[in-house]
Amino acid sequence: MSANKPDLKLIKNDTPGGENEAYTVAMGPQHPATHGVLKLDLELDGETVIKCRPTVGFLHRGVEKLAENMSYAQVLPLTDRLDYIASMANNVAYSIAVETLLGIETPLRAKYIRTMVMEMARLTGHLLWLATHALDIGAMTVFLYCFRERENLLDMFEELCGARLTTTYTCIGGVRQDVTGHFLETLYAFTEEFPSRVKEYETLIDQNRIWLKRTKGIGVITAEQAVSLGLTGPSLRGSGVDYDVRKHMPYDAYPFVEFEVPIGSEGDVYDRYRCRMEEFLQSNSIIRQCIEQLPAGPVRAEDAPDLVMEYNPAKKVAADATFSSGIIKLMEDRDRYMQGDVYVAAEVPKGELGFYFVSDGHGRPYRMHIRSPSYIHIGALPYLCEGYMVADVIANIGSLDVVLGECDR
Amino acid sequence: MGLLEIATLIQDRYPDQVIEVVTCREQAGVILHKEKILEICRWLHDDPVLQFNHLADLCGVDYLHKKDVRFEVVYNLYSIPTKRRIRLRAQVPEDDCWIDSVTPVWIGANWHERECYDLFGIKFKGHPDMRRILLPEDWEGHPLRKDYPLDGGRRNWRGYDEVKEKARRLREYDFYGMYEDPTKKIGLKDVSK
């Protein structure tokens, strides 16, 4: 518990009309610091938040219901619209989940490319987080610096797949196109320069007294509480819990590259900020290793399903083993679309993005559930905000790094 | 640690609660009756060996016309210290559509359960704040149920009548005849003549 957090029991909450009456302020859904359409009902005593009630769902598009009437390949573009800051990471997470369900083995080159683009997405996501988080707290210059590098990365995405934000670059069983030599050269040159850029951001804010006052000891959450709340990603690691899906359940090329998982200790806004700043350098190192180790070969599995997957499995022609007279019969190819359920998670910039699939043996998901980190993080917001000042609510939202498109699905 | 070891542990401890142990793509799931779900979750969470401290995911599934018991509530649990994973699937019949809330075990289950109530209509007993979350509070029906109509029907959208009534009242101020002739422009004199 931090020193500047007051005891909530001491705050008097008088009857309506009294001198110490708490009053309610609606923050959002059009507030610039809520990063989208998040509404917070804040019950205030002076400037202290007594109660915080988040309201979400303004951006609910029913992705899970839509997916039930689409083939697995058709759902992929919908995942771009979840976390639109780093859509490449969602594509990879979704592809991995479907590949696990359908039992498709991705070629090694595709695995390396996907690891590379996922870390690029992590850089874009964290850059936008740092830009807006610093802007919310009052540092304007950082915003401009971050967008300079983010622009470079988005240009590279454009070269890779033609789109800057809604990429849909991966596909089930690999990636859509191979990378070009020019792309790898540009990216490698970027990774050589990027650590010095991170130093630039750090010189701007790391020792800044205003920044430290606004972030140290604010929004403290203990390790036990953070795990119980279901926080994942840098928000959890800031509290000192070593949980990273990339290390715990390695996927794609993560077992082949070396990287460290930065861990905080205090669990305040500053430690969550430090974790993400360290991740910049780790992601940068992973991209470099991927380019250096990139093997040759195909980028798409041979048995990867077509874009148009049949609702009913194809009937294959097979010779009847019991007759030697040459009689052939049609058998249903049920091997691919197996019945069952899987839960597969991946580490996206915000945390653990999980897909839970129930398959009934057809080419469409019978049920798809998206475990989105932002949804859980906003649910944890009252535990971070209550007892602090109303200005710290902004710092807390920024430190959790939420995107409402992913939250509301 | 084998794939089915934890599933076997649950089966040994609660033989009357476990219906079936299923595996799919090297993931193990345990299908349970709903009665003792809170007790089982608390045991999995508190046991010093198992330590399932991370509720990764909680969601509902509707098996309309596919299984005898219509709904299932799925708990994907993960143990951060021991790196193990187990999936619990509690069966919830349609005519007795409730299950115990696991918010006393994991605080983070709060919003998961609200979402499940919102989209499936499964009530969670003991939940501190059982309201809709993603949809408006006056929404009718639970959209992720398989019998929810995909077509919106011929009804007008909510608020249509109010807007129409407002438009009717505004006609009283139609001094220039704009409502009668929408192409008519007001306030602009034609200077070409």
Side-chain angles (χ1 to χ4, degrees), chain B residues 159-177:
Chain B
Y160 175 83
D161 293 336
E162 287 82 355
V163 172
K164 206 173 174 190
E165 170 64 19
K166 194 174 180 184
R168 194 192 60 74
R169 277 192 286 111
L170 283 173
R171 283 197 176 210
E172 293 172 20
Y173 308 101
D174 185 16
F175 304 123
Y176 301 101

Side-chain angles (χ1 to χ4, degrees), chain A residues 310-327:
Chain A
E310 311 89 347
Y311 179 62
N312 282 314
K315 294 198 171 173
K316 65 179 176 188
V317 183
D320 196 332
T322 54
F323 291 94
S324 56
S325 56
I327 293 174

Side-chain angles (χ1 to χ4, degrees), chain A residues 227, chain B residues 1 3-14 17-18 28-33 36-57 73-90 102 104-106:
Chain A
V227 174
Chain B
M1 184 58 90
L3 176 67
L4 290 173
E5 197 154 324
I6 297 155
T8 319
L9 277 176
I10 300 171
Q11 205 163 18
D12 290 347
R13 200 179 160 106
Y14 298 96
Q17 290 294 310
V18 176
V30 184
I31 305 178
L32 300 160
H33 291 293
K36 284 190 180 168
I37 190 72
L38 181 59
E39 193 184 320
I40 293 170
C41 283
R42 197 186 291 280
W43 165 60
L44 287 171
H45 179 267
D46 293 347
D47 192 86
V49 182
L50 300 173
Q51 299 185 53
F52 280 98
N53 54 357
H54 179 49
L55 175 69
D57 190 20
V73 177
V74 184
Y75 303 80
N76 278 296
L77 309 182
Y78 185 70
S79 164
I80 294 174
T82 62
K83 303 191 181 181
R84 283 186 223 141
R85 189 173 271 295
I86 188 73
R87 178 158 52 243
L88 308 179
R89 291 162 60 181
V102 293
V105 186
W106 298 280

Side-chain angles (χ1 to χ4, degrees), chain A residues 17-29:
Chain A
E19 196 183 331
N20 295 323
E21 186 202 350
Y23 56 97
T24 312
V25 172
M27 188 171 158

Side-chain angles (χ1 to χ4, degrees), chain B residues 88-102:
Chain B
L88 308 179
R89 291 162 60 181
Q91 291 192 335
V92 180
E94 190 183 2
D95 50 357
D96 193 21
C97 204
W98 65 271
I99 190 166
D100 280 322
S101 167
V102 293

Side-chain angles (χ1 to χ4, degrees), chain A residues 56 65 68 100-101 227-229 243 248-249 338 341 343 352 360 366-367 369 371 375-376 383 409, chain B residues 25 27 53-54 56-57 60 62 66 78 85 87 89 107-108 111-112 115 133-134 143 145-146:
Chain A
V56 296
K65 187 74 178 175
E68 287 175 7
T100 312
L101 180 70
V227 174
S228 182
L229 281 167
Y243 175 55
H248 277 234
M249 288 159 277
M338 74 176 301
D341 54 343
Y343 173 79
E352 174 186 346
D360 62 343
Y366 183 76
R367 166 92 171 103
H369 184 254
R371 185 250 189 244
Y375 182 73
I376 311 301
Y383 295 89
R409 285 156 287 161
Chain B
R25 302 287 182 202
Q27 295 186 5
N53 54 357
H54 179 49
D57 190 20
D62 182 3
K66 282 194 179 288
Y78 185 70
R85 189 173 271 295
R87 178 158 52 243
R89 291 162 60 181
I107 317 169
W111 276 32
H112 280 304
E115 182 194 331
I133 185 160
L134 291 173
R145 289 189 175 194
K146 290 285 175 185

